[in-house]
């Protein structure tokens, strides 16, 4: 079945830029949709991206209040004060959400590496850490199996070498390697599965624009190590909230059998599979992702979207 996609966001969904001081570092975030909606959805993007990556989904949830931060050290957000490991990212997310002082119900959504950050934060909060818990959780293209095991392990080790080399080279050479447009293009082409040439060109352009927006080389290396050293499966059993997993049948990073195993690890989860798409559900099938989120919120009765919402 062909997927509708959006290479531009609806004009009514243009974001409002904000910032907040979180644990001593400035976090930039963007608000979409209805500021007076009953339900807020907080979206957490993946490795090397920024809020632009999840904008196609955020723009399609105009009846909700949607908040999308740039992860620390990426996009317009300052780096953390210490190392960018998974515990630090989880602590940052908890502090960021708590600082929003959300008055109503909210949903937490993570894509790719963001799925690990979200899961790590929720697992730690289940152990008693202060802060509000979301009523519902959505994980898109979740990293559901160890990256250093399985059929993709050799590619993960090559990637580790790539980021290590970029970190130890002289600064100018290291930055040139990390921001090399040809390498970024190869990464983009490998992840995109669409045969729609205009859409593929747009995806490549998005990666060229936003895949190299990081504060420094150390941030990239530390975040990459965090992304390949952990996965959602190690946290799943400790997350009691209802979970919606949105996976893709052509995802090379976490194949579908691993996603089905991940589903069984959560106390309360269901899996929706998008066909013909890989690790870029947010680019190749944002309409499907947004509709699944909308249906999940409606089905679980977690707040009612404000009237007048528009589906893109």
């Amino acid at each position: 079945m062909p997927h509708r996609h959006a290479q531009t966001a609806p004009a009514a969904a243009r974001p409002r830029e904000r910032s907040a001081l979180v644990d001593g570092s400035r976090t930039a975030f963007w608000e979409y949709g209805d500021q007076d909606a009953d339900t807020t959805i907080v979206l957490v993007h993946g490795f090397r991206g920024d809020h632009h990556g999840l904008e196609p989904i955020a723009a399609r949830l105009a009846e909700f209040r949607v908040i999308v931060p740039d992860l620390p050290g990426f996009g317009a957000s300052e780096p953390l004060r210490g190392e960018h490991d998974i515990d630090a990212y989880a602590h940052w997310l908890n502090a960021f959400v708590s600082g929003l002082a959300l008055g109503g119900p909210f949903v937490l959504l993570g894509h790719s590496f963001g799925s690990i950050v979200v899961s790590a934060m929720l697992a730690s909060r289940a152990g008693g850490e202060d802060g509000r818990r979301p009523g519902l959780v959505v994980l898109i293209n979740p990293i559901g199996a160890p990256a250093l095991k399985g059929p993709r392990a050799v590619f993960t080790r090559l990637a580790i070498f790539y980021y290590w080399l970029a970190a130890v080279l002289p600064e100018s050479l290291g930055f040139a390697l990390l921001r090399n447009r040809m390498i970024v293009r190869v990464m983009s082409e490998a992840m995109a599965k669409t045969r729609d040439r205009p859409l593929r060109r747009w995806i490549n352009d998005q990666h060229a624009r936003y895949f190299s927006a990081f504060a420094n080389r150390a941030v990239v290396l530390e975040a990459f190590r965090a992304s390949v050293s952990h996965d959602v499966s190690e946290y799943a059993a400790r997350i009691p909230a209802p979970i919606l997993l949105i996976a893709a049948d052509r995802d090379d990073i976490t194949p579908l059998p691993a996603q089905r195993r991940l589903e069984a690890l959560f106390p309360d989860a269901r899996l929706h599979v998008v066909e013909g798409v890989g690790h870029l559900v947010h680019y190749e099938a944002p309409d499907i992702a947004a509709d699944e989120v909308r249906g999940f919120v409606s089905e679980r009765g977690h707040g009612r979207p404000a009237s007048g919402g528009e589906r893109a």
Side-chain angles (χ1 to χ4, degrees):
M1 181 180 77
H3 305 306
R4 291 184 298 153
H5 54 76
Q7 299 174 24
T8 57
R14 289 179 181 174
R16 301 170 291 277
E17 185 175 355
R18 303 282 190 267
S19 70
L21 196 63
V22 182
D23 289 341
S25 297
R26 183 67 56 180
T27 292
F29 65 97
W30 283 258
E31 291 189 58
Y32 302 76
D34 184 353
Q35 294 186 79
D36 298 320
D38 292 338
T39 300
T40 298
I41 307 178
V42 179
L43 279 57
V44 183
H45 66 77
F47 173 67
R48 275 192 72 154
D50 66 11
H51 71 281
H52 290 95
L54 291 177
E55 189 166 87
I57 294 176
R60 284 163 171 74
L61 295 170
E63 67 268 42
F64 302 99
R65 181 190 182 199
V66 181
I67 296 175
V68 191
D70 284 349
L71 284 172
F74 295 90
S77 290
E78 295 177 349
L80 298 170
R81 293 295 183 91
E83 186 174 354
H84 294 74
D85 58 19
I86 198 64
D87 290 337
Y89 273 121
H91 185 271
W92 162 82
L93 180 57
N94 181 68
F96 173 74
V97 170
S98 297
L100 292 174
L102 300 174
F106 78 102
V107 181
L108 196 53
L109 182 153
H111 171 259
S112 190
F113 176 54
S115 72
I116 305 177
V117 174
V118 166
S119 298
M121 186 272 275
L122 292 174
S124 66
R125 290 175 71 178
E129 187 175 338
D130 291 338
R132 292 192 58 214
R133 294 188 192 179
L136 300 174
V137 179
V138 180
L139 305 180
I140 300 177
N141 291 123
I143 308 298
L148 293 172
K149 298 180 181 179
R152 302 289 295 179
V154 63
F155 297 103
T156 300
R157 295 186 186 281
L158 286 173
I160 290 174
F161 175 74
Y162 162 71
Y163 286 106
W164 172 83
L165 182 62
V168 300
L169 284 171
E171 184 174 0
S172 61
L173 293 177
F175 268 103
L177 180 61
L178 286 170
R179 291 176 168 158
N180 184 281
R181 293 181 67 87
M182 184 59 67
I183 294 176
V184 171
R185 178 63 176 269
V186 169
M187 293 177 184
S188 182
E189 290 285 354
M191 288 188 289
K193 303 302 181 185
T194 181
R195 294 184 179 180
D196 183 322
R197 290 185 178 180
L199 175 58
R200 185 176 282 270
R201 284 196 298 270
W202 180 77
I203 291 172
N204 290 336
D205 178 69
Q206 291 292 291
H207 284 138
R209 288 172 181 265
Y210 306 120
F211 210 56
S212 297
F214 45 82
N216 55 58
R217 294 181 298 169
V219 166
V220 178
L221 181 61
E222 291 168 3
F224 178 74
R225 284 176 174 165
S227 73
V228 300
S229 301
H230 301 274
D231 67 90
V232 176
S233 68
E234 66 187 271
Y235 308 108
R238 289 179 282 159
I239 302 175
I243 306 282
L244 171 63
L245 304 174
I246 301 178
D249 65 349
R250 299 186 63 193
D251 191 337
D252 295 323
I253 295 179
T254 302
L256 198 52
Q259 301 286 18
R260 297 194 188 282
R261 290 193 294 271
L262 177 64
E263 178 188 15
L265 296 176
F266 288 100
D268 181 5
R270 69 176 176 86
L271 173 66
H272 177 83
V273 179
V274 183
E275 296 181 354
V277 174
H279 200 66
L280 304 180
V281 165
H282 57 310
Y283 283 152
E284 295 184 303
D287 284 288
I288 292 176
D291 283 345
E292 286 299 315
V293 172
R294 182 179 291 109
F296 188 49
V297 172
S298 176
E299 171 192 331
R300 294 294 184 134
H302 184 67
R304 292 176 297 176
S307 61
E310 178 184 351
R311 291 195 188 192

